[in-house]
Amino acid sequence: MMNILTKIDDFVDQAGADQIGADQDASEENGSSHPLFDNAPRSVSFNKLRKRLLRNVRQAFEDFGMLKGQKRWLVGLSGGKDSYGLLALLLDLKWRGLLPVELVACNLDQGQPNFPKHVLPEYLAKIGVPHRIEYRDTYSVVKEKVPAGGTYCSLCSRLRRGNLYRIAREEGCDALLLGHHREDILETFFMNFFHGGRLAGMPAKLLNDEGDLMVMRPLAYCAEEDMAKFAAAMEFPIIPCDLCGSQDGLQRNAMKEMLADIERRMPGRKDVMLRALAHVNPSHLLDPKLFDFSALSVTGASPEERREANSPL
């Protein structure tokens, strides 16, 4: 079966794919492109990469109803390749008239040593993006709370997310957008599988506990390799993480290496894994909360009747 992330036909019907492509091609023919792309490469390979990423994002919009009732989005910008890429793709779609949502970029300065505070505000001002830079010294909190040798990611993420929720409310946004891609989702799934004892990944769309904000990941179908190539071609001013990014031996790194090894030995497996997360059969798992196994019974009915009677709740 063809690669679902390079061939849109594998996860949408052909008519829907053709419409997405037609809309996008029409915009390109009209010269509609955000000024951010003025100095982007003009090569065929870059144009294919860009088009593939845009289609992946638009497909995530469609599959998960991300545009339903949305008016204003807060885009989390860490200074890494993925959040830069997310912002660029959203700006491109908005410029083309394909994203009827206001965008506000936000960086949470967490007080990390040697953090170049000027890079993001200068970059955002240069490309004309409304933005907010918020300072909160969560770095000191994480260093204080996590014992020596421990990993910072979990606590750091929780503190960052809580602040981003607050900022989204203060900015009148109804959604927080994060730059997690295909590999992030798969790595999270296997971390939960191996270490958490549960089948759970990283949803493309999630309602927060308070019920007043959506958390969305439009890069859910985008490959990390594509995002890395895109960031390099666009020459984003990448800011490395000196907190969790400086630690070795993290569980997520182990999952990343495992998936990379599987992909090397069996090309295309990442796409198959992602597709599996979208095709769940509760009756073939072991969770009685999802499927009423106690209600199963032998009825003597035809196979068709039995399948209907024993279908998932």
Side-chain angles (χ1 to χ4, degrees), residues 45-62:
S45 60
F46 178 77
N47 287 335
K48 287 184 177 180
L49 170 64
R50 178 179 163 197
K51 182 178 289 188
R52 180 165 65 248
L53 290 172
L54 287 170
R55 290 187 179 185
N56 289 161
V57 169
R58 293 194 69 199
Q59 196 58 54
F61 286 167
E62 181 176 324

Side-chain angles (χ1 to χ4, degrees), residues 199 279-296 306-313:
L199 295 181
H279 294 82
V280 179
N281 191 340
S283 67
H284 286 57
L285 297 175
L286 302 176
D287 192 340
K289 296 187 295 297
L290 293 180
F291 186 87
D292 190 2
F293 295 97
S294 64
L296 292 176
R306 288 200 299 272
R307 278 195 293 272
E308 183 177 351
N310 294 328
S311 62
L313 296 177

Side-chain angles (χ1 to χ4, degrees), residues 8-304:
I8 199 84
D9 307 330
D10 281 2
F11 60 89
V12 294
D13 60 78
Q14 185 61 50
D18 287 346
Q19 185 60 51
I20 289 174
D23 290 346
Q24 193 166 302
D25 291 341
S27 296
E28 289 175 351
E29 290 173 4
N30 293 332
S32 179
S33 180
H34 192 278
L36 179 62
F37 290 86
D38 286 349
N39 297 320
R42 295 292 184 262
S43 65
V44 172
S45 60
F46 178 77
N47 287 335
K48 287 184 177 180
L49 170 64
R50 178 179 163 197
K51 182 178 289 188
R52 180 165 65 248
L53 290 172
L54 287 170
R55 290 187 179 185
N56 289 161
V57 169
R58 293 194 69 199
Q59 196 58 54
F61 286 167
E62 181 176 324
D63 287 352
F64 301 103
M66 292 184 179
L67 295 178
K68 185 178 180 181
Q70 301 293 310
K71 302 296 183 184
R72 185 174 168 89
W73 289 350
L74 188 75
V75 183
L77 194 64
S78 66
K81 70 181 191 310
D82 304 318
S83 60
Y84 272 125
L86 172 61
L87 179 62
L89 294 168
L90 294 175
L91 290 172
D92 202 11
L93 289 172
K94 185 172 177 61
W95 187 267
R96 297 165 187 265
L98 301 175
L99 181 60
V101 175
E102 293 183 51
L103 300 176
V104 179
C106 177
N107 171 252
L108 181 65
D109 180 348
Q110 297 179 263
Q112 296 170 345
N114 304 316
F115 183 79
K117 298 178 181 295
H118 65 284
V119 171
L120 283 168
E122 289 180 1
Y123 175 78
L124 293 169
K126 178 181 177 181
I127 64 175
V129 175
H131 60 276
R132 174 169 169 176
I133 308 297
E134 181 85 2
Y135 178 79
R136 283 290 185 276
D137 185 9
T138 62
Y139 176 86
S140 297
V141 176
V142 171
K143 295 288 285 186
E144 177 185 349
K145 298 295 183 183
V146 177
T151 55
Y152 303 136
C153 291
S154 179
L155 178 57
C156 180
S157 177
R158 288 199 303 272
L159 293 173
R160 181 172 62 249
R161 187 70 55 83
N163 278 288
L164 288 174
Y165 284 166
R166 172 183 56 79
I167 295 167
R169 295 185 185 103
E170 291 174 359
E171 292 292 332
C173 297
D174 40 35
L176 167 64
L177 271 68
L178 303 174
H180 297 119
H181 47 62
R182 179 188 69 177
E183 276 71 11
D184 289 321
I185 292 172
L186 292 176
E187 290 161 16
T188 299
F189 173 81
F190 281 106
M191 286 175 66
N192 286 322
F193 184 70
F194 287 131
H195 302 287
R198 60 195 180 107
L199 295 181
M202 184 181 279
K205 183 179 181 181
L206 172 72
L207 183 65
N208 70 336
D209 292 339
E210 292 78 10
D212 63 339
L213 287 171
M214 287 291 180
V215 179
M216 301 194 293
R217 299 178 172 93
L219 302 182
Y221 292 147
C222 297
E224 182 175 19
E225 182 180 5
D226 281 350
M227 296 306 300
K229 291 178 180 177
F230 184 66
M234 294 293 291
E235 298 183 346
F236 296 134
I238 304 298
I239 301 174
C241 175
D242 291 328
L243 186 60
C244 57
S246 65
Q247 291 183 291
D248 296 323
L250 300 180
Q251 293 176 354
R252 184 170 293 275
N253 289 345
M255 298 301 102
K256 183 181 291 292
E257 292 171 4
M258 180 193 74
L259 288 167
D261 180 61
I262 292 173
E263 187 71 16
R264 280 192 298 268
R265 292 186 289 109
M266 296 179 287
R269 293 312 96 186
K270 287 182 179 179
D271 292 342
V272 174
M273 293 178 197
L274 193 69
R275 186 164 64 246
L277 295 181
H279 294 82
V280 179
N281 191 340
S283 67
H284 286 57
L285 297 175
L286 302 176
D287 192 340
K289 296 187 295 297
L290 293 180
F291 186 87
D292 190 2
F293 295 97
S294 64
L296 292 176
S297 62
V298 177
T299 64
S302 68
E304 291 77 12

